[in-house]
Amino acid sequence: MDDTLLLRYSRQIMLPAFGIEGQERLRLARVLVVGLGGLGSPVAMYLAAAGVGRLVLADHDAVDLSNLQRQIIHTTDRIGTPKAESARTTLAALNPEVELVLVRERLTAETLPELLRDLDLVVDCCDNFDTRFVVNAACVGARKPLVSGAAIRLEGQVTTFSGQPGGPCYQCLYPRNGGIDETCTANSVLAPVLGIIGSIQATEAIKVLSGLGEPLFGRLLVLDAGRMEWRQVRLVADPGCPVCGAASPQP
């Protein structure tokens, strides 16, 4: 690592439990960010700034005026631009050392396994449950860690799934037939709540990739921003889960 990179990342390299070794792990890491909206904006920006070597940016949508209240990776002059391209412009200016790969198509159960083959971790920042379930199943099948976050109104939640046998998965938390709303796009949200949850998602990703601290495996953090209170919920694997349970198909 040359002097320029040492200076760029010096504040996190100085962390006693991180050091140059942690920075090198980030440099070699390959991460998929699913969705470049209110959550994906801070996630992608913090991961790029921290020096993650390759970011795969997946979003099939285009920038809209209504996005700009919360999707801080985009700008007014990019309205109509594909979000993946808009994000690339911001991230390349933030840290030109990071390799940026764009996926402009909707992620599906058919395309995800090949995409995950060369990746180390997935951060789910999308705004609909159909995609969340597909991403979760692919991560379980590929045994890749998944950092999941969500926010609506003044509430948010975040957790990390290890992707390893015996641990819970997203469908253990939200059974697919559980009667949940199938879209988040029509609901209100306070922009900074997305920033809080997205920042924690980025922190979790860096922890898993670098070996820093203790990830949120088996724990769900829930935020009530109206009262600015956090609570923690213990997550356990559902033996009957059709994705990760004992009777589920094995990779």
Side-chain angles (χ1 to χ4, degrees), residues 61 66 70 126-128 152 181-189:
D61 205 357
S66 65
R70 63 200 176 280
C126 72
D127 63 358
N128 70 88
I152 190 170
D181 186 4
E182 289 297 320
T183 179
C184 304
T185 56
N187 291 292
S188 58
V189 66

Side-chain angles (χ1 to χ4, degrees), residues 171-236:
Q171 200 154 326
C172 295
L173 176 61
Y174 289 112
R176 191 149 196 173
N177 60 352
I180 54 178
D181 186 4
E182 289 297 320
T183 179
C184 304
T185 56
N187 291 292
S188 58
V189 66
L190 186 67
V193 175
L194 291 156
I196 293 169
I197 300 299
S199 296
I200 295 175
Q201 287 183 274
T203 302
E204 285 293 295
I206 291 171
K207 285 163 58 182
V208 173
L209 294 169
S210 68
L212 179 68
E214 181 181 345
L216 283 170
F217 295 150
R219 294 180 291 147
L220 175 72
L221 291 184
V222 181
L223 169 66
D224 175 355
R227 298 175 59 87
M228 202 49 72
E229 292 180 350
W230 290 94
R231 63 188 177 94
Q232 182 171 287
V233 179
R234 196 73 186 172
L235 298 181
V236 295

Side-chain angles (χ1 to χ4, degrees), residues 34-49:
V34 181
L36 297 164
L39 294 173
S41 291
V43 166
M45 292 171 74
Y46 272 122
L47 294 184

Side-chain angles (χ1 to χ4, degrees), residues 49-73:
V52 171
R54 179 190 298 171
L55 289 177
V56 181
L57 308 171
D59 200 308
H60 67 280
D61 205 357
V63 179
D64 183 81
L65 178 61
S66 65
N67 301 149
L68 300 180
Q69 166 255 2
R70 63 200 176 280
Q71 300 181 16
I72 59 174
I73 204 168

